């Protein structure tokens, strides 16, 4: 799974289209706990679809690394605000316990402040497999992205 996600990120990074690099803070809300972390994403628009890959980390006793690959589409534009939907895969590399994968689905918002700089926010629901069932829940993200 990690190889697939890394290949997707590498393909996006070396293609001829413009790409965005995002930096985010997030709160993972998994019953009964909340965990905070940070992530870096690389995204690119390919034929009207946003293809992205990312890496996030949660520190602490129950910390984990989270590798993601997502496919998204802008659903509606309200003035400068773009609302998008997305689906994806996440690989959860737990510090304690078994690793595993999860499906994700969510909604996001982007507001460009300049041609190359935007602020972003999103909420995704993560459907964890049995080995990472403790990671089932919502992930709320806020950050910014820079275009190249």
């Amino acid at each position: 799974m990690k190889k697939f996600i890394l290949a997707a990120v590498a393909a996006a990074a070396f293609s001829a289209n413009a790409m965005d690099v995002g930096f985010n803070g997030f709160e993972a809300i998994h019953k009964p706990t909340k965990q905070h972390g940070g992530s870096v994403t690389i995204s690119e628009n390919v034929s009207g679809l946003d293809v992205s890959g990312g890496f996030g980390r949660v520190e602490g006793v129950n910390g984990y690394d989270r590798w993601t690959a997502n496919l998204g589409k802008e659903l509606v534009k309200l003035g400068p605000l773009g609302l998008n939907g997305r689906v994806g895969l996440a690989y959860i590399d737990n510090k304690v316990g078994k690793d595993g994968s999860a499906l994700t689905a969510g909604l996001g918002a982007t507001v460009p402040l300049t041609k190359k700089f935007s602020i972003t926010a999103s909420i995704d629901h993560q459907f964890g497999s049995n080995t990472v069932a403790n990671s089932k829940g919502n992930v709320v993200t806020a950050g910014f992205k820079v275009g190249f």
Side-chain angles (χ1 to χ4, degrees):
M1 176 61 102
K2 282 185 189 177
K3 290 180 183 178
F4 170 76
I5 293 171
L6 290 175
V9 171
F14 292 109
S15 70
N17 294 334
M19 72 176 181
D20 296 321
V21 177
F23 301 92
N24 306 288
F26 65 87
E27 180 170 90
I29 306 166
H30 312 299
K31 293 180 182 175
T33 64
K34 292 182 182 180
Q35 296 174 300
H36 307 282
S39 63
V40 175
T41 59
I42 297 174
S43 63
E44 182 170 1
N45 191 291
V46 179
S47 300
L49 296 174
D50 290 320
V51 179
S52 66
F55 172 78
R57 173 165 284 169
V58 172
E59 295 294 338
V61 175
N62 295 319
Y64 57 88
D65 292 337
R66 183 174 185 260
W67 298 86
T68 59
N70 293 301
L71 186 62
K73 174 85 174 144
E74 186 170 80
L75 302 174
V76 67
K77 189 100 167 147
L78 302 169
L81 174 68
L83 299 175
N84 59 70
R86 66 174 164 266
V87 295
L89 296 171
Y91 181 80
I92 311 298
D93 185 2
N94 285 309
K95 290 184 179 180
V96 177
K98 294 183 178 182
D99 302 340
S101 57
L103 294 174
T104 63
L107 296 171
T110 302
V111 177
L113 299 179
T114 70
K115 187 175 179 179
K116 299 283 187 179
F117 184 84
S118 300
I119 56 173
T120 62
S122 65
I123 183 165
D124 294 280
H125 187 77
Q126 186 165 283
F127 305 89
S129 64
N130 289 340
T131 57
V132 291
N134 62 333
S135 295
K136 181 180 178 183
N138 296 319
V139 179
V140 179
T141 306
F144 66 92
K145 65 181 181 178
V146 179
F148 294 95

